[in-house]
Amino acid sequence: MLKFVKSQPVLVIAFIAAVVTMFFVPPDSGYADYINRTVLIELFALMIAVAGFRSVGIFDRASDIMLKKAGTARRITLVLVLLCFFSSMLVTNDVALITFVPLSLMIFGAAKDERLRIRAIVLETAAANLGSMLTPVGNPQNLYIYDEYKLTAMDFVRTMLPSGIVSLAVLVLLTFIIPAEKCEAPAEKKTAFRAAPIIGYSVLFAACLLTVFRVLPDWACLIAAVAAALIFDYKLLLKADYALLATFVCFFVFVGNISRIGAVNDFFRGILDGNELVISLLLSQVISNVPAAVMLAGFTDKGTELLLGVDIGGLGTIIASLASLISFQFYRKTTTARAGLYLLTFTWISLILLAPLLILNLLIL
């Protein structure tokens, strides 16, 4: 039990919060309106599609090709940062980090300076969090807000593009903290691709995007995900992040209940009015940006401000984006790990990235 609590603290907190609110708002027919079914289906289908692509070696081959002629530690870091930034737009920040951080640990494993390895991983983590904010499917909070507020693709791009451009420029500049010493990337691995699964997962991914953009109904996306897994690899059904899906359900119940408590509803609406960006950014530092998005969405109709707040709010503390914990866990398991130095480096690099993005968006708003 203790092990589960440690591995899924956000789910446990969300569950407790949901149960507590049930004493104030006993279960009734209104609970059915809390659950955003479409978001849960879209998340599940994306998990299956991305797990499928990983299983056939697509990400490994792409990274091998791009790293082959990098040459120096700085260039390799730049390539990895760009891979994390752009791939996270389609395969989510979590998957980008699961794919590329272990590769970085292998590449920089022989580095004498532990700071080099830490800085490279921290920059990749920031890149995945920042790149993922540029598309509705880049991370869970984007998918939720995009659907909850019925945003259009143009609304989304108009809101996030300035932050994306600035963040990419700052990330590229920050790669200069990596020394330009010689560093060889691992030899390219030959992977035999099977056409049928790749085509199948591509069709599923296309179905996910069409559902996100409201072209296909959510039930069609669900059928496509289950069918793809059963046809090509049933084990993919075990690789979906059911803890994340359960966390969403718990927060749906929690937010739905507290929104029906008059005093609580009035309080949150009062402090949020005109302060959506700052409040959501600060709350993300404490409970992470996915729960912050779900919690605050029930108390404001300003979806784009909330979107900005929780996305740039993924910078700051190590728990501001749960994806950041993935990188930290990978690094912490290495034999030369210096957790304190990692957290210190993560914090100052996050603040350097957060400051211009916060100033930019406060000026725009």
Side-chain angles (χ1 to χ4, degrees):
M1 183 64 179
L2 184 60
K3 184 178 180 181
F4 178 80
V5 172
K6 288 182 177 180
S7 64
Q8 299 294 341
V10 178
L11 172 57
V12 172
I13 292 169
F15 177 76
I16 294 172
V19 170
V20 169
T21 60
M22 288 180 181
F23 290 100
F24 297 93
V25 183
D28 58 20
S29 59
Y31 274 50
D33 297 327
Y34 296 166
I35 308 300
N36 190 321
R37 184 191 70 183
T38 300
V39 168
L40 295 177
I41 289 175
E42 289 168 349
L43 279 171
F44 172 75
L46 280 167
M47 291 171 187
I48 298 298
V50 171
F53 282 131
R54 286 196 50 147
S55 69
V56 295
I58 290 289
F59 301 134
D60 290 338
R61 175 63 68 86
S63 60
D64 284 342
I65 293 172
M66 295 189 71
L67 288 170
K68 191 174 182 181
K69 296 183 179 179
T72 67
R74 182 182 298 163
R75 287 179 185 172
I76 289 177
T77 300
L78 176 60
V79 170
L80 288 165
V81 163
L82 295 177
L83 280 169
C84 287
F85 187 89
F86 289 105
S87 67
S88 66
M89 297 180 191
L90 295 177
V91 301
T92 75
N93 49 357
D94 298 48
V95 172
L97 294 174
I98 290 170
T99 301
F100 297 115
V101 169
L103 179 62
S104 302
L105 290 171
M106 181 172 61
I107 292 172
F108 298 120
K112 296 179 181 179
D113 187 355
E114 190 67 18
R115 291 176 300 176
L116 185 159
R117 187 158 63 153
I118 290 174
R119 290 176 180 181
I121 295 168
V122 168
L123 288 174
E124 290 166 44
T125 304
N129 285 328
L130 291 168
S132 68
M133 71 182 179
L134 291 171
T135 64
V137 297
N139 53 53
Q141 70 268 17
N142 281 9
L143 196 59
Y144 173 72
I145 292 173
Y146 184 85
D147 187 80
E148 185 72 13
Y149 289 93
K150 300 297 183 279
L151 300 178
T152 66
M154 188 54 68
D155 290 333
F156 197 97
V157 171
R158 189 187 303 117
T159 300
M160 303 310 303
L161 189 58
S163 296
I165 293 171
V166 170
S167 61
L168 180 58
V170 178
L171 278 168
V172 171
L173 288 174
L174 281 172
T175 60
F176 281 90
I177 66 175
I178 305 295
E181 62 186 48
K182 288 287 184 180
C183 186
E184 293 295 329
E188 182 180 342
K189 299 182 290 291
K190 300 297 181 182
T191 305
F193 287 151
R194 293 176 294 145
I198 293 174
I199 294 172
Y201 300 139
S202 298
V203 170
L204 172 57
F205 190 76
C208 293
L209 294 180
L210 291 173
T211 304
V212 169
F213 293 114
R214 308 181 188 104
V215 177
L216 281 182
D218 54 14
W219 57 263
C221 187
L222 177 60
I223 291 173
V226 175
L230 293 178
I231 292 170
F232 300 111
D233 185 358
Y234 71 91
K235 292 180 181 178
L236 295 179
L237 293 172
L238 303 176
K239 295 182 179 180
D241 189 348
Y242 293 106
L244 176 61
L245 298 177
T247 301
F248 264 89
V249 171
C250 290
F251 269 107
F252 286 153
V253 173
F254 169 70
V255 174
N257 281 340
I258 63 175
S259 66
R260 291 168 64 180
I261 302 172
V264 176
N265 194 320
D266 292 342
F267 170 75
F268 275 106
R269 288 189 180 277
I271 64 170
L272 268 177
D273 188 27
N275 302 305
E276 288 82 3
L277 172 64
V278 174
I279 296 296
S280 57
L281 186 154
L282 292 175
L283 186 60
S284 296
Q285 305 305 306
V286 181
I287 67 172
S288 87
N289 50 10
V290 175
V294 180
M295 180 175 175
L296 297 179
F299 306 101
T300 178
D301 56 4
K302 296 179 180 178
T304 53
E305 285 87 340
L306 179 61
L307 178 66
L308 280 167
V310 294
D311 271 353
I312 66 175
L315 299 166
T317 65
I318 192 73
I319 64 169
S321 169
L322 294 180
S324 300
L325 292 174
I326 293 173
S327 301
F328 181 56
Q329 291 289 68
F330 275 127
Y331 172 76
R332 199 164 57 89
K333 292 176 182 177
T334 62
T335 56
T336 59
R338 296 173 62 186
L341 179 59
Y342 184 99
L343 292 173
L344 180 63
T345 305
F346 181 92
T347 302
W348 69 257
I349 287 180
S350 288
L351 292 177
I352 287 175
L353 285 160
L354 177 60
L357 292 177
L358 179 58
I359 294 170
L360 169 70
N361 286 294
L362 286 174
L363 290 174
I364 291 175
L365 294 177

